[in-house]
Amino acid sequence: MQIKAITDQLSVSEQILSSQIAEIAAAGFKSIICNRPDGEGADQPVFAEIEAQAKIAGLSAVYLPVVSGKVSDEDASSFRALMDALPKPTIAYCRTGTRSATLWSLVEGARGLPLPEILSATKAAGFDMNGVARRIAGKGLVGTETVDAHAEVVIIGGGAAGIALAASLKARRPELDIAIIEPADVHYYQPGWTMVGGGIFDPATTAKTMASLIPAGVRWIKAAVAAFEPQKNAVILEGCRVVTYRALVVAAGLKLNWAGIEGLSETLGRNGVTSNYRYDLAPYTWELVQSLKRGRAVFTQPPMPIKCAGAPQKALYLSADHWYRQGLLKDIDIDFFNAGAVLFGVKEYVPALMAYIERYQAQLHFQHTLTRIDGEKKRAWFSKSEADGTRSAVETDFDMIHVVPPQVAPDFVRVSPLADSAGWVDVDQATLRHKTLAGVYALGDVANTPNAKTAAAARKQAPVVAHNLLRDLGHGGERDANYDGYGSCPLTVERGKIVLAEFGYGGKLLPSFPGWMLDGTKPTHLAWLLKERMLPPIYWKAMLRGREWMAKPELVA
């Protein structure tokens, strides 16, 4: 018998035996639900045997038989009534546990629990409910073949990658039927938030309405995605609306897991706790930097992958540069707690960055992961990885702390058939096609490609996906386009200078400019001008409008 917990109140299991009832009682269960009809298997005890032993053990036992593959709405209603009435915790069983897990899923869907949470809970217990996702979303009452909309190409996500791709497709084939599924009203230029936190950009300049950016002729379906049915070329939206497609592109970004650090959500934006990873908090970073005259400033970086791997230390550099210019460094201790083992993953850029670490007298703490924070007491706790593989706890105080949360794939992607074992969309790193699902592609932060997750990467990926997708739809092209892993990270080491890191797969340097003009391994003012004055208009007026200056895709020979 293998008991699998779905919640703290309900577990499911394969067929149980009367001899196992005492073990079930000892584990703390108070009730049993049998979802397997008597006589289904030759080696199966009848429910009366289970019930008799349950009574001896002081457990409630109820018989709710469900025919395999035929879970009805009435079955789900009855299961809900039992879940509400029986003493808890409860264990439900059938032949494998799948019927019991399905019943729970339908019940919680009817109660209004978000579909991704249902799929996540059942997946963690070892059950794949994607096959009944549409029914769960529709509270068991919607016909599984209902279709509310169709587009030749459906793009999930209206961020940098999604809109850049839509614009790139339209530039190549204006008549193409495209729909973007995106619930947000506002689109953000997230690379600008570091500059907001450094007092350089006005936050308002990093936001525009979604409606103003979606390319002309592209339909905007303003809704959140709940699940995927790739075998039916369908996307299920919240509320159980269904959108079908010929080609699907996932550009859903990633999820900032603020709850992954104990106590963080309760203190964000207060008590000296800030983050440039949120639009509304970046101005607070600059407020804290300006007000800090003495004390300890802590900067953190979580385990990879994260959005813009250089952003955590960019916050440190711009903050420290302000204190340096104000003559305050002698009174401010700066600590950088990095979950990784090195300052930056491409060695060619490390010497220039280390020079600034030394200038700002910052203390580096590698392999330290932030786990807990108490804003009111101004204390933070880290888990440190030791050389022998063990972990130890490290505690520090702070007057200001810049936190970067751990980052994961969006819930609805992580539990879907599109995801790899880590939750990211599983694509070929060169063509950006899904490795096993025809007609499915991904780009941007949600893809499992081993490149830096930056807007610059999405800018180079969009033309690649556009070319390969159109080729697959029969709209021309004899050769694939390949993505080389290009990403750019303008490291703002001081106000007025940037180390422009540009690299591809394997850490290969991929500079956009000749060395005599701009050496990216050294801090330069020209790179600063690029970041401050050129990149924002390139983003708004080129990348999001299908203009592929310095981004033409490389075709396979």
Side-chain angles (χ1 to χ4, degrees):
M1 174 185 60
Q2 186 176 8
I3 298 174
K4 301 176 179 180
I6 294 181
T7 71
D8 58 356
Q9 298 294 304
L10 178 74
S11 296
V12 301
S13 85
E14 59 199 356
Q15 173 70 55
I16 64 176
L17 306 176
S18 55
S19 60
Q20 296 170 324
I21 299 298
E23 179 185 346
I24 289 171
F29 289 99
K30 304 299 183 185
S31 58
I32 299 172
I33 301 174
C34 172
N35 295 133
R36 191 179 189 190
D38 284 345
E40 192 176 65
D43 58 348
Q44 170 190 353
V46 298
F47 174 70
E49 298 174 51
I50 302 295
E51 184 180 34
Q53 290 300 314
K55 186 174 182 180
I56 293 172
L59 305 182
S60 299
V62 180
Y63 186 51
L64 178 62
V66 176
V67 177
S68 180
K70 296 182 179 180
V71 179
S72 69
D73 292 341
E74 291 72 21
D75 292 331
S77 295
S78 298
F79 192 79
R80 176 174 183 170
L82 291 176
M83 286 177 60
D84 291 341
L86 287 172
K88 298 173 181 60
T90 299
I91 182 171
Y93 74 90
C94 55
R95 186 178 68 85
T96 64
T98 300
R99 271 168 280 181
S100 300
T102 301
L103 287 163
W104 175 85
S105 300
L106 291 171
V107 167
E108 294 306 320
R111 292 189 202 271
L113 186 67
L115 178 54
E117 293 186 27
I118 295 172
L119 297 178
S120 179
T122 51
K123 183 177 182 179
F127 301 98
D128 184 359
M129 292 291 111
N130 279 285
V132 289
R134 199 182 302 195
R135 187 175 170 200
I136 296 169
K139 306 183 189 304
L141 301 176
V142 176
T144 58
E145 299 307 316
T146 301
V147 174
D148 299 280
H150 175 82
E152 191 168 16
V153 178
V154 168
I155 299 171
I156 309 300
I163 291 184
L165 174 63
S168 187
L169 286 168
K170 277 293 184 182
R172 286 170 166 77
R173 198 166 184 86
E175 74 280 10
L176 191 66
D177 179 24
I178 304 172
I180 287 180
I181 300 176
E182 170 57 59
D185 289 304
V186 180
H187 176 107
Y188 295 104
Y189 175 56
Q190 296 181 34
W193 292 349
T194 293
M195 304 289 266
V196 173
I200 297 146
F201 283 0
D202 184 319
T205 64
T206 69
K208 292 184 184 293
T209 65
M210 193 68 66
S212 69
L213 296 173
I214 292 178
V218 174
R219 282 180 287 158
W220 177 21
I221 300 175
K222 190 175 182 297
V225 173
F228 298 96
E229 288 184 340
Q231 75 281 7
K232 295 182 180 179
N233 281 24
V235 176
I236 305 170
L237 308 181
E238 287 185 352
C240 204
R241 287 186 292 156
V242 177
V243 180
T244 58
Y245 56 82
R246 281 191 66 198
L248 173 70
V249 186
V250 185
L254 51 68
K255 174 183 176 180
L256 300 176
N257 186 22
W258 301 103
I261 299 170
E262 182 183 347
L264 177 59
S265 297
E266 294 86 343
T267 194
L268 269 172
R270 300 182 297 114
N271 303 314
V273 182
T274 188
S275 179
N276 289 342
Y277 274 69
R278 228 171 67 185
Y279 174 78
D280 60 318
L281 294 177
Y284 184 52
T285 300
W286 180 233
E287 178 184 326
L288 291 173
V289 169
Q290 290 178 292
S291 63
L292 187 66
K293 307 300 180 184
R294 62 178 60 248
R296 171 167 279 113
V298 172
F299 298 83
T300 76
Q301 178 166 317
M304 295 297 172
I306 65 171
K307 184 190 296 287
C308 189
Q313 57 187 288
K314 292 181 196 179
L316 182 158
Y317 298 136
L318 284 179
S319 301
D321 180 62
H322 173 78
W323 299 322
Y324 176 83
R325 294 169 187 267
Q326 296 295 314
L328 298 173
L329 280 184
K330 65 182 184 301
D331 298 314
I332 297 175
D333 295 321
I334 302 173
D335 291 276
F336 184 42
F337 289 86
N338 185 346
V342 295
L343 182 61
F344 196 75
V346 182
K347 67 181 188 305
E348 285 82 356
Y349 301 105
V350 172
L353 300 178
M354 280 302 303
Y356 280 92
I357 291 293
E358 293 166 4
R359 171 193 281 193
Y360 301 136
Q361 303 168 41
Q363 298 300 308
L364 299 178
H365 308 272
F366 293 121
Q367 297 187 311
H368 284 67
T369 301
L370 180 63
T371 58
R372 182 161 67 98
I373 191 165
D374 186 326
E376 292 187 357
K377 294 182 179 179
K378 295 191 179 299
R379 307 292 296 178
W381 290 264
F382 297 83
S383 175
K384 178 186 177 184
S385 297
E386 304 291 352
D388 61 1
T390 61
R391 304 190 75 86
S392 61
V394 174
E395 180 180 353
T396 187
D397 62 326
F398 64 83
D399 294 283
M400 165 192 168
I401 184 168
H402 179 272
V403 176
V404 179
Q407 295 163 39
V408 295
D411 294 340
F412 68 90
V413 171
R414 196 168 63 250
V415 299
S416 77
L418 281 59
D420 65 7
S421 59
W424 308 96
V425 181
D426 193 17
V427 297
D428 178 85
Q429 69 176 34
T431 64
L432 305 179
R433 291 187 184 94
H434 198 278
K435 290 179 180 177
T436 59
L437 299 172
V440 177
Y441 313 78
L443 73 160
D445 296 347
V446 78
N448 69 347
T449 49
N451 60 277
K453 294 183 181 293
T454 66
R459 180 169 178 260
K460 285 294 189 82
Q461 291 171 341
V464 171
V465 174
H467 176 92
N468 291 341
L469 184 155
L470 289 173
R471 179 171 182 260
D472 294 344
L473 289 180
H475 296 313
E478 297 181 356
R479 296 182 293 165
D480 276 343
N482 274 358
Y483 169 59
D484 59 7
Y486 176 86
S488 174
C489 186
L491 292 147
T492 49
V493 289
E494 64 174 291
R495 185 182 286 251
K497 287 189 179 180
I498 275 176
V499 172
L500 182 60
E502 294 181 283
F503 50 92
Y505 290 138
K508 180 182 178 181
L509 300 191
L510 296 174
S512 298
F513 306 96
W516 60 265
M517 178 185 294
L518 197 162
D519 182 351
T521 65
K522 295 180 172 58
T524 65
H525 182 60
L526 181 58
W528 175 272
L529 294 177
L530 179 70
K531 168 75 172 178
E532 182 189 25
R533 301 183 187 179
M534 294 180 64
L535 289 185
I538 287 173
Y539 181 85
W540 296 118
K541 297 179 180 180
M543 176 177 171
L544 301 189
R545 294 186 181 178
R547 299 185 178 103
E548 295 166 5
W549 176 62
M550 297 180 69
K552 295 291 183 183
E554 173 189 345
L555 300 185
V556 179

